[in-house]
Amino acid sequence: MIKNVGKIDQTFRFLLGLFLAGLGIFILNGKEGNVIGILVALTSLLPFYMALTRSCFVFRWFKIHSLSKKECEMHGQPYPESKE
């Protein structure tokens, strides 16, 4: 799996996942069975997954990444330039 999510982006995605989970469970009453709250809480799994794997499918579609120069030096470019 291509790692294309940088450390700052990873932190942001994790915090977004926490926010969506809290919003869905507590604010939108997902814990009491409200369907919208449950759906928002389930949606929080996507940013958590991307933060955990450090891979974003949308970034992959457009061949972009949020890795810093230091991270690229450590792990290599996620999308090497084709040499023709």
Side-chain angles (χ1 to χ4, degrees):
M1 184 175 293
I2 295 173
K3 294 188 186 310
N4 56 12
V5 173
K7 229 19 176 168
I8 294 171
D9 194 8
Q10 180 183 23
T11 303
F12 173 74
R13 289 169 193 261
F14 181 79
L15 293 175
L16 178 64
L18 285 178
F19 173 75
L20 288 174
L23 179 70
I25 293 170
F26 299 111
I27 306 298
L28 297 175
N29 295 323
K31 66 181 176 182
E32 295 174 8
N34 184 355
V35 175
I36 299 296
I38 294 170
L39 290 175
V40 170
L42 287 174
T43 303
S44 73
L45 295 175
L46 188 60
F48 279 133
Y49 176 77
M50 288 187 287
L52 180 68
T53 61
R54 296 188 66 188
S55 180
C56 176
F57 61 92
V58 176
F59 280 8
R60 211 171 320 139
W61 291 342
F62 295 106
K63 295 200 184 295
I64 59 176
H65 63 84
S66 61
L67 300 172
S68 67
K69 287 184 180 182
K70 184 177 179 183
E71 289 171 319
C72 284
E73 289 172 2
M74 287 174 46
H75 305 294
Q77 288 287 338
Y79 311 107
E81 301 297 324
S82 62
K83 297 184 180 187
E84 297 179 24

